[in-house]
């Protein structure tokens, strides 16, 4: 694996969100273990959060870059998109040249597809570039099929469903409908903008030579029936690496962007095994509005079962007056929790989740049953796999007390769910899965070694 007389620096550019940075860190750790020098580039607003939680022994380099946004501007999807399209690229290009001069020649850039402007930067700098997809393969294949969905009339040229209902019936895969399309979030204008984002992302990534996929083999069947006319000649070589580092110690002490309430663990110590409901709807998409927060809160209180609820301060406005104090003996409401440690705890019986991909994989890692309430993006695809294919969870459609009780009973009384969770864990995170993932990383390195010996920065 050694490159003679050349730098072994690899630049990694994640999309600046919790669920993107963490899996990119696993790629960086794999590169480090192979003897390379990973440099992760992240915007200023999260750089300090990462640096303060780094293990002193960590040899991964983190560099910050300006996104041009003022501190008081909310960094939502559209603000970040604007920064990544207009402000970050020239700064990133300068930084790549600086790294080349100070560290030695850059071997490769690994770019999160959601940060697709960095692909163009890599091309301008003459650096080989591999894409990185942070979620499951099925979500990628669904978005990749946009041109075929447009040509078949399933959606309009602005991404609006033309024929509500099932997308198609696929062999050995869950059923998906037009309501599950990842860009259908918010107002019509927001939906159109998100659709344009995905179209641009796929246009930029189609000619990539490699695509590292934060997913796993043998569990996701191709969605080829969605896109029978797709030209596959220019598709990247997909290398699934989702099993990297799932059982390894994190490269940072605290992989969260936010301060975690560690008292959650002491609270759990006082509870009986498999009695606590853990509730978290992720860090990126806002949960679902004050009305649903209130409805769920009242249902949980009425059921009387102990629960931990991750609910940020802004969303607590949806809670009934005096709620946190009223349920203090039954529940613990925190702004952020050490999620993996909570899920590992024997007191937790099930996890009410938005079905984000990282949360899904952490639930499998910790062998926890799932109550599924997808909100946006790829979460609907993930939910379909969880409920219909893997059968390790139950979808919950509303937060009325009766429905919550019935869903909870259904998920906890399924006698076969533990064995399915164990089987899925072995297939995704067992030794064989980790060996396959590492072999795919080495495939990328081997390919790079074959093509870069006579190349230099600026002439690629």
């Amino acid at each position: 694996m050694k490159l003679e007389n050349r730098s072994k620096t690899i630049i990694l550019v994640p999309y600046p969100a919790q669920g993107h940075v963490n899996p990119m860190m696993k790629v960086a750790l794999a590169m480090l273990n192979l003897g390379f020098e990973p440099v992760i580039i992240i915007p200023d607003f999260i750089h300090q959060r990462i640096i303060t939680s780094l293990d002193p022994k960590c040899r991964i380099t983190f560099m910050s870059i300006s996104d041009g946004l003022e501190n008081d501007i909310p960094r939502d999807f559209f603000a970040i998109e604007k920064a990544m399209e207009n402000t970050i690229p020239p700064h990133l290009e300068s930084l790549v040249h600086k790294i080349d001069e100070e560290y030695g020649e850059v071997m490769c850039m690994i770019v999160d597809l959601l940060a697709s402007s960095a692909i163009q930067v890599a091309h301008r700098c003459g650096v080989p570039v591999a894409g990185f997809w942070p979620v499951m393969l099925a979500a990628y294949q669904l978005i990749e099929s946009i041109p075929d969905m447009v040509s078949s009339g399933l959606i309009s040229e602005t991404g609006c469903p033309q024929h509500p209902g099932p997308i198609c019936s696929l062999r050995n895969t869950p059923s998906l409908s037009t309501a599950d399309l990842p860009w259908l979030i918010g107002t019509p204008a927001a939906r159109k903008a998100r659709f344009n984002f995905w179209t641009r992302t796929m246009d930029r990534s189609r000619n990539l030579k490699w695509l590292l996929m934060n997913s796993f083999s043998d569990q996701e069947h191709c969605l080829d029936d969605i896109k029978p006319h797709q030209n596959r000649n220019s598709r990247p070589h997909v290398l699934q690496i989702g099993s990297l580092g799932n059982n390894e110690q994190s490269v940072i002490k605290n992989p969260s962007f936010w301060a975690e309430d560690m008292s959650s663990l002491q609270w759990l110590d006082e509870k009986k095994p498999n009695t606590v409901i853990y509730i978290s709807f992720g860090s990126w998409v806002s949960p679902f509005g004050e009305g649903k927060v209130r409805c769920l809160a009242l249902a949980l209180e009425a059921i009387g079962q102990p629960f931990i609820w991750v609910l940020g301060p802004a969303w607590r406005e949806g809670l009934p007056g005096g709620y946190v104090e009223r349920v203090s003996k039954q529940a613990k409401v925190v702004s952020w929790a050490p999620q993996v440690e909570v899920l590992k705890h024997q007191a937790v019986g099930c996890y009410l989740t938005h079905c984000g991909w990282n949360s899904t994989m952490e639930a499998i890692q910790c062998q926890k049953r799932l109550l599924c309430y997808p909100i946006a993006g790829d979460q609907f695809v993930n939910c379909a796999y969880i409920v219909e294919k893997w059968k390790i969870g139950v979808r919950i459609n509303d937060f009325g007390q009766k429905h919550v009780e019935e869903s909870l009973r259904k998920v906890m009384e399924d006698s076969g769910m533990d064995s399915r969770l164990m089987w899925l864990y072995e297939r995704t995170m067992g030794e064989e899965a980790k060996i396959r993932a590492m072999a795919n990383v080495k495939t990328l390195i081997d390919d790079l070694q074959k093509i870069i010996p006579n190349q230099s920065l600026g002439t690629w």
Side-chain angles (χ1 to χ4, degrees):
M1 302 301 298
K2 185 177 181 180
L3 296 179
E4 297 295 339
N5 301 317
R6 296 181 61 86
S7 165
K8 297 189 290 183
T9 301
I10 294 178
I11 295 175
L12 301 98
V13 185
Y15 182 83
Q18 178 85 69
H20 296 250
V21 174
N22 282 358
M24 188 71 93
M25 288 178 178
K26 293 181 180 180
V27 180
L29 182 59
M31 295 299 178
L32 185 66
N33 290 339
L34 288 172
F36 298 95
E37 300 174 8
V39 177
I40 299 180
I41 298 178
I42 49 181
D44 294 335
F45 79 99
I46 59 173
H47 182 259
Q48 189 59 35
R49 302 175 190 175
I50 295 293
I51 292 300
T52 55
S53 61
L54 275 178
D55 187 317
K57 298 179 181 179
C58 177
R59 294 187 292 114
I60 294 174
T61 301
F62 290 82
M63 292 188 176
S64 65
I65 192 169
S66 173
D67 62 10
L69 299 174
E70 300 295 333
N71 290 334
D72 58 348
I73 295 178
R75 285 171 169 79
D76 60 11
F77 175 84
F78 296 107
I80 291 176
E81 179 193 14
K82 183 177 180 181
M84 298 197 78
E85 288 298 311
N86 302 320
T87 306
I88 290 180
H91 293 301
L92 178 60
E93 188 168 343
S94 297
L95 189 55
V96 171
H97 284 290
K98 180 180 179 181
I99 293 170
D100 177 64
E101 293 171 359
E102 296 182 1
Y103 283 67
E105 192 164 11
V106 176
M107 177 181 180
C108 177
M109 285 177 63
I110 299 176
V111 175
D112 189 325
L113 293 195
L114 278 77
S116 63
S117 62
I119 296 173
Q120 297 176 307
V121 171
H123 290 324
R124 289 197 297 271
C125 291
V127 177
V129 57
F132 176 73
W133 183 250
V135 294
M136 75 186 305
L137 173 61
Y140 172 81
Q141 292 174 313
L142 179 61
I143 294 171
E144 188 191 36
S145 71
I146 284 175
D148 296 289
M149 287 191 280
V150 171
S151 65
S152 67
L154 188 64
I155 60 174
S156 70
E157 292 186 354
T158 59
C160 181
Q162 301 294 86
H163 307 289
I167 294 176
C168 62
S169 178
L170 303 173
R171 299 183 305 274
N172 300 313
T173 61
S175 58
L176 299 172
S177 77
T178 50
D180 298 327
L181 295 173
W183 53 86
L184 299 181
I185 307 170
T187 65
R191 293 181 175 200
K192 181 179 178 181
R194 289 178 184 273
F195 179 75
N196 290 338
F197 169 86
W198 285 119
T199 301
R200 182 176 65 239
T201 296
M202 287 299 155
D203 285 345
R204 289 172 175 170
S205 64
R206 289 188 196 282
N207 292 322
L208 288 171
K209 186 174 179 64
W210 311 275
L211 179 57
L212 301 177
M213 187 80 59
N214 186 33
S215 192
F216 51 86
S217 303
D218 302 329
Q219 291 299 306
E220 300 161 21
H221 296 265
C222 290
L223 304 185
D224 286 341
D225 293 345
I226 290 180
K227 45 182 181 10
H229 306 298
Q230 179 71 34
N231 179 1
R232 296 176 176 82
N233 293 332
S234 61
R235 291 175 66 188
H237 183 191
V238 173
L239 300 166
Q240 298 197 66
I241 59 169
S243 301
L244 285 179
N246 283 305
N247 296 320
E248 303 295 334
Q249 185 177 1
S250 176
V251 296
I252 57 177
K253 291 179 179 178
N254 176 2
S256 174
F257 288 5
W258 302 276
E260 296 173 333
D261 190 333
M262 302 305 293
S263 67
S264 303
L265 303 177
Q266 288 75 42
W267 185 86
L268 285 169
D269 288 339
E270 301 173 359
K271 306 304 176 186
K272 296 179 181 179
N274 296 317
T275 60
V276 177
I277 308 168
Y278 173 61
I279 306 150
S280 176
F281 296 102
S283 61
W284 181 239
V285 178
S286 297
F288 29 64
E290 293 183 4
K292 291 182 180 179
V293 169
R294 179 182 177 85
C295 188
L296 176 57
L298 293 174
L300 291 168
E301 182 181 14
I303 290 171
Q305 190 161 338
F307 63 90
I308 291 181
W309 191 353
V310 176
L311 196 64
W315 287 101
R316 293 191 192 187
E317 296 177 5
L319 296 175
Y323 181 82
V324 174
E325 295 75 19
R326 197 166 68 234
V327 300
S328 60
K329 292 184 179 180
Q330 173 193 356
K332 189 169 183 64
V333 180
V334 299
S335 295
W336 201 246
Q339 181 157 292
V340 173
E341 288 84 353
V342 168
L343 288 173
K344 285 180 179 178
H345 202 286
Q346 64 176 357
V348 174
C350 72
Y351 174 18
L352 174 52
T353 174
H354 63 313
C355 301
W357 185 238
N358 285 327
S359 292
T360 298
M361 296 303 288
E362 287 166 358
I364 294 171
Q365 176 185 350
C366 301
Q367 304 288 284
K368 297 302 179 185
R369 302 166 182 234
L370 297 170
L371 283 174
C372 303
Y373 190 85
I375 300 168
D378 65 307
Q379 297 161 16
F380 295 98
V381 178
N382 301 339
C383 178
Y385 273 81
I386 291 167
V387 175
E388 297 180 35
K389 182 166 181 58
W390 301 329
K391 301 185 187 302
I392 58 171
V394 170
R395 182 161 182 172
I396 184 167
N397 296 313
D398 67 66
F399 293 134
Q401 179 185 342
K402 182 178 180 180
H403 188 68
V404 173
E405 283 184 311
E406 290 177 350
S407 300
L408 183 61
R409 182 171 57 253
K410 183 177 179 181
V411 76
M412 294 308 295
E413 291 180 355
D414 187 329
S415 60
M417 200 167 285
D418 285 342
S419 61
R420 292 193 291 272
L421 276 163
M422 179 58 72
W423 180 83
L424 189 57
Y425 170 83
E426 289 297 330
R427 296 301 293 257
T428 60
M429 301 179 194
E431 286 304 313
E432 290 185 10
K434 289 191 288 185
I435 290 170
R436 287 196 300 269
M438 204 63 204
N440 282 336
V441 173
K442 291 178 180 178
T443 294
L444 169 63
I445 299 302
D446 289 343
D447 285 352
L448 287 168
Q449 287 182 319
K450 293 174 183 177
I451 62 177
I452 71 170
N454 298 318
Q455 302 294 339
S456 61
L457 189 66
T459 61
W460 173 254

